[in-house]
């Protein structure tokens, strides 16, 4: 058993710090865990029973193996409770409690004590000062924020690992709203023991995880992290958002997390070497993780744009053809073959443009989208497709989603979809997200996603994987 | 009477081409116009009455002055109908009909004929090949797309002028979903007569319009446009999205609109000279127009960031401090005065950071946001404020919107708000939009909005207006 399986695939869980008050952290987590069907043990010396489960005063009293313990007691009580977990032989412990390294000298000492407690044992710790962990496929919801305020995302294809609690909550909230799924969510807090390195290794092998997103404010052991990332990224894409790339940003990060951020130029080069895709904000990290989880890499820079709005085709073209970073992504508009153009001419209306961008015009039908995507998928000059699926055009129906899904999943070329609009379009976007189509609500975000697929392809080719 | 008042402030309107079929373009427009309370005249030689209004065979038969005519008849019938409008002395004519310059040689000839028809007369034409015009405050909805598919935005503070029909529809759809209001929406189509230049002049004087957004694919008379823009932009901010800035993009634009786009470097320099804020995509044009309509210019580059999420403060700092264009906007994090820091220290929790970014922490209350915004508004080292209002934090309530509104409207410094999250946050964002708060759902979009306020300030200072 991999030591981290205790966290993400446990059979039995103890929650230390359940309380008669249902709004206390331990009680909230226990309540959500009851949905998991796992063997559960509420721990509280003053209770005989909790939510219909037999309660125990101490984990050591539980007459069963415990894989995972969630600790939600005041900071000062944590060292003793953790010692109990070690003695019980529990492999996974999530310490939700705050009041450690993040609060100053006294807290740091307390955190040192925790490190001493697990040293040389089989017990591993996530936290302290974290939100918890969440594995939707297993219905393992050990997150302490109330679902009413902080809804959980559905099951999906990438893991999201967050050093920042606030950003973690906002991520889940955002993801659940847009129906973006995760294989797991891990809040690593002060990362006194389990760090981004081991999580990277673990999710590199995790079968439900196709891409790994890390929101880090500091990197503990840079060299090791990059070594591991280099290996993992040969198999799975890794996206990292690391704050503190400017002097002022790094200072702010140091004040916020108490840990020093590294020089940005060094980090940038090292990330590239290790095949890490870099995200610069809270939106990019999700946008990039999604496209990497849903789509194959681009093997070259040549993009075919299929659109029903001519003007939007122009904007996309400008972004694709402009140098990377300078209002553009440094890709190329594919030169479609003569054959492609002829075939397109046959199936499209006479006033459609069969040059790239391919403008299907506002009179486009679902079938014309279908045909156009079929034809560009066969063009040897095309490395990737940007499909502008606009639902305002009069003859397009919801069937366009089936078409886009078909080519997104079975087409030869990687594809990114952009749908721009209001309430109806938002519904269409959610449906596409459900089907794991890499869809974006703006041209810029869609084009950047293609750039990421291209960078992924470059790395895999450089590594000899592709 | 300004010649364009006939379009945007008419007293009487004729719709030429109403039909027994309620789904025909003329019928749709007439139906929507009945809400306006204006004097309406349906024109159709085969009808005596339409929707309870007396119908006339020809505009010339109407026993009343007509300010505005909407033409929705087949292209070939347009020249005669337009001639009738001229003879009737109608000042404003919107030609919805397509099938002119955009379709090839024959269409071009037909369009020339229209130009001849109005030459030397008082009749002005918007279109042909356009969606129509919309002035929400006057309930003047002369847009032919069905509201079910293409909902209309509410009344608001900026005008949106679009050369692209598809982009226009998508804009209205997007704006209505997010509650973004417009003073008017104008689809200019082939702009055979009234062009961006005159609309710029007109809306420069239009009292309900605080900012002007133009989505252009070509600029007809560049020199004149820039001359006018230079004058107008001293009074009101202008945002222009012009596709075709790369060679491939310009080619695509030429194929799409039939009009040649100018060299981009030249356009970029000229725009700056004329005080035009440049947008690069469909999202930026709205984001920029909103902030310019809702907020005052920034008088210097120094930003104070007020946040409850430390990590998000770091991301914002990185974007603010990075050079413009290179994953940043080239502004500065303000060095808060000693006094500011001391005052902040008094009102915030001990573990809050009073350095910039000001991290109120997840324990923040509405009152602390209020106090912090009050204090930074008084700091002479601060030119603008980025307020990260995160609704996931447990002690923050909907009252935060009132607070943010107060400082957004009455504070000394311009302010941009960022709120990141899911369903609940989206509701809060819509409420803020309703109150004309410059709010954005991502850090990057918020920071770019500040950059725009800074550019606006630079221009006004250069022009001696500020």
């Amino acid at each position: 058993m991999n030591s981290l399986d205790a966290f993400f695939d446990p059979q039995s869980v103890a929650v230390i710090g359940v309380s008669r008050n249902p709004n206390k952290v331990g009680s909230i987590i226990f309540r959500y865990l009851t949905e998991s069907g796992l063997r559960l043990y509420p721990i509280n010396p003053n209770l005989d029973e909790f939510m219909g489960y037999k309660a125990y005063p101490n984990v050591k009293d539980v007459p069963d193996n415990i894989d995972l313990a969630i600790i939600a007691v005041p900071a000062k009580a944590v060292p003793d409770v953790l010692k109990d977990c070690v003695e019980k032989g529990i492999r996974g412990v999530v310490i939700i409690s705050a009041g450690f390294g993040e609060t100053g000298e006294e807290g740091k000492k307390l955190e040192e004590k925790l490190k001493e407690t697990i040293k040389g044992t089989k017990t591993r710790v996530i936290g302290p000062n974290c939100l918890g962990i969440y594995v939707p496929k297993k219905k393992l919801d050990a997150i302490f924020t109330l679902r009413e305020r902080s809804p959980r995302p559905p099951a999906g294809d990438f893991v999201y690992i967050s050093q920042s609690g606030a950003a973690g909550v906002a991520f889940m909230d955002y993801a659940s709203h847009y129906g973006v799924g995760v294989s797991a969510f891990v809040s690593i807090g002060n990362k006194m023991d389990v760090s981004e390195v081991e999580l990277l290794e673990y999710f590199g092998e995790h079968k439900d995880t196709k891409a790994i997103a890390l929101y880090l404010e500091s990197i503990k052991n840079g060299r090791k992290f990059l070594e591991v990332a280099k290996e993992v990224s040969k198999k799975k894409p890794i996206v990292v958002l690391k704050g503190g790339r400017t002097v002022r940003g790094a200072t702010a990060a140091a004040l916020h997390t108490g840990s020093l951020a590294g020089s940005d130029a060094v980090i940038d080069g090292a990330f590239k070497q290790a095949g890490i895709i870099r995200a610069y904000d809270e939106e990019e990290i999700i946008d990039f993780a999604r496209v990497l989880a849903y789509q194959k890499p681009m093997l070259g820079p040549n993009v075919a744009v299929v659109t029903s709005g001519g003007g939007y085709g122009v904007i996309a073209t400008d972004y694709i053809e402009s140098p990377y970073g300078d209002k553009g992504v440094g890709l190329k508009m594919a030169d479609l073959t003569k054959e492609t153009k002829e075939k397109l001419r046959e199936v499209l209306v006479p006033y459609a443009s069969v040059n790239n961008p391919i403008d299907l015009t506002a009179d486009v039908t679902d079938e014309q989208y279908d045909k156009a995507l079929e034809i560009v998928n066969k063009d040897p000059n095309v490395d990737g497709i940007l499909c502008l699926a606009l639902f305002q055009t009069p003859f397009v129906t919801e069937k366009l989603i089936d078409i886009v899904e078909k080519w997104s999943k079975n087409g030869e070329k990687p594809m990114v979809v952009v749908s721009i609009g209001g309430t109806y379009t938002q519904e269409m976007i959610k449906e596409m997200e459900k089907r794991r189509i890499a869809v974006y609500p703006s041209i810029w975000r869609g084009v950047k996603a293609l750039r990421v697929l291209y960078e992924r392809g470059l790395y895999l080719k450089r590594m000899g994987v592709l």
Side-chain angles (χ1 to χ4, degrees), chain A:
Chain A
M1 190 192 201
N2 183 311
S3 71
L4 300 191
D5 272 346
F7 291 100
F8 305 107
D9 193 14
Q11 302 307 311
S12 54
V13 187
V15 179
I16 306 172
V18 298
S19 141
R20 280 198 184 88
N21 181 342
N23 292 321
K24 288 281 182 182
V25 168
S27 307
I28 293 168
I29 290 182
F30 193 90
R31 185 161 74 241
Y32 293 152
L33 282 175
T34 58
E35 296 169 6
S36 68
L38 301 174
R39 304 195 307 275
L40 295 185
Y41 302 101
I43 310 293
N44 180 326
N46 306 314
L47 295 176
D48 292 327
E49 179 268 338
F50 185 75
M51 288 189 72
Y53 290 76
K54 182 169 167 43
Y56 296 86
N58 189 304
V59 281
K60 292 193 281 185
D61 301 321
V62 176
D64 184 8
N65 284 328
I66 298 174
D67 295 325
L68 174 64
I70 313 288
I71 296 180
V73 297
K76 287 200 170 148
V78 173
D80 284 346
V81 163
L82 181 60
K83 197 159 166 267
D84 295 337
C85 292
V86 170
E87 287 170 7
K88 175 68 181 172
I90 299 174
R91 282 172 179 258
V93 175
V94 175
I95 304 178
I96 303 287
S97 321
F100 295 91
E102 80 281 7
T103 57
E105 278 315 308
E106 212 175 320
K108 271 185 193 140
K109 274 185 205 156
L110 210 56
E111 197 167 313
E112 280 306 314
K113 215 168 170 181
L114 300 185
K115 282 186 196 164
E116 281 302 312
T117 308
I118 59 165
K119 206 171 183 177
T121 74
K122 285 178 181 165
T123 301
R124 305 302 312 272
V125 169
I126 288 180
N129 184 33
C130 74
L131 297 169
I133 61 177
Y134 170 59
V135 188
K137 203 179 160 188
K138 311 244 172 234
K139 298 191 171 165
L140 181 76
D141 180 354
I143 299 286
F144 78 82
T145 53
L146 285 169
R147 288 180 186 168
E148 298 88 90
R149 271 216 170 233
S150 160
R152 313 295 197 250
D157 291 345
F158 67 91
V159 60
Y160 190 94
I161 299 163
S162 181
Q163 186 173 350
S164 158
V169 170
F171 161 75
M172 287 198 292
D173 187 18
Y174 176 99
S176 73
H177 179 70
Y178 290 103
V180 172
V182 291
S183 58
F185 168 84
V186 191
S187 165
I188 54 180
N190 296 4
K191 47 185 185 178
M192 64 161 262
D193 178 33
V194 174
S195 73
E196 56 278 7
V197 172
E198 288 157 295
L199 290 166
L200 206 50
E201 251 170 345
Y202 180 79
F203 284 101
E205 302 292 333
H206 190 248
K207 73 174 174 34
D208 295 328
T209 298
K210 291 183 185 161
I212 300 166
L214 288 144
Y215 183 140
L216 299 175
E217 280 166 352
S218 64
I219 296 175
K220 241 185 168 174
N221 182 340
R223 184 170 300 186
K224 179 80 179 152
F225 177 73
L226 292 167
E227 265 175 40
V228 169
K230 199 165 185 173
E231 285 312 306
V232 170
S233 65
K234 286 179 195 161
K235 295 170 291 181
K236 288 182 193 179
I238 303 167
V239 182
V240 175
L241 168 56
K242 182 171 162 320
R245 60 196 169 87
T246 57
V247 175
R248 288 292 289 248
T251 311
L255 282 168
H256 176 49
T257 63
S259 50
L260 215 62
S263 139
D264 190 64
V266 172
I267 286 175
D268 206 51
F271 275 18
K272 275 209 185 78
Q273 282 266 319
I276 294 171
I277 304 281
R278 195 161 183 189
Y280 286 88
D281 61 43
E282 80 290 353
E283 194 169 74
E284 285 192 348
I285 187 173
I286 307 173
D287 282 359
F288 296 175
R290 286 171 61 241
V291 78
L292 289 164
Y294 303 164
Q295 282 291 314
K296 38 185 171 283
M298 255 172 86
L299 303 181
N302 303 293
V303 181
V305 175
V306 176
T307 181
S308 65
Y312 286 167
V314 174
I315 294 175
T317 300
D318 282 340
Y319 272 144
I320 288 166
E321 289 265 323
S322 293
Y324 184 47
D326 186 20
K327 311 278 182 196
V329 295
L331 296 174
K332 289 193 169 69
M333 289 296 282
D335 291 313
L336 302 178
T337 64
K338 200 166 156 262
E339 201 189 342
T340 296
K341 289 184 190 178
E342 282 167 6
K343 280 193 205 156
L344 285 169
R345 187 51 75 214
E346 277 170 35
V347 297
L348 303 182
V349 293
Y351 42 95
S353 170
V354 300
N355 286 294
N356 192 14
I358 299 157
D359 182 2
L360 309 173
T361 83
D363 293 327
V364 67
T365 60
D366 296 338
E367 289 65 32
Q368 284 164 354
Y369 263 112
D370 191 21
K371 289 288 178 200
L373 292 174
E374 182 180 354
I375 293 164
V376 293
N377 256 291
K378 284 190 185 130
D379 190 316
N381 292 354
V382 172
D383 299 309
I385 300 166
L386 180 71
C387 177
L388 283 150
L390 303 176
F391 289 93
Q392 293 92 4
T393 51
F395 309 121
V396 153
T397 72
E398 293 187 19
K399 275 189 199 133
L400 180 55
I401 294 183
D402 300 331
I403 291 160
V404 155
E405 182 182 21
K406 178 175 75 179
W407 294 112
S408 168
K409 289 181 180 164
N410 310 325
E412 282 175 55
K413 324 277 185 185
M415 180 163 88
V416 163
V417 179
V418 167
S419 288
I420 297 159
T423 309
Y424 180 73
T425 296
Q426 296 296 325
E427 288 312 308
M428 296 299 104
I429 286 177
K430 283 181 190 173
E431 179 59 32
M432 286 190 265
E433 180 60 43
K434 218 188 222 171
R435 303 190 194 184
R436 315 277 213 268
I437 295 165
V439 61
Y440 297 90
S442 79
I443 297 169
W444 178 229
R445 288 169 67 182
V447 168
K448 283 195 295 180
L450 279 173
R451 168 76 202 187
V452 160
L453 292 180
Y454 174 64
E455 281 180 19
R456 178 75 185 144
L458 282 182
Y459 179 75
L460 292 179
K461 281 203 273 188
R462 207 170 72 221
M463 289 293 113
V465 178
L466 271 183

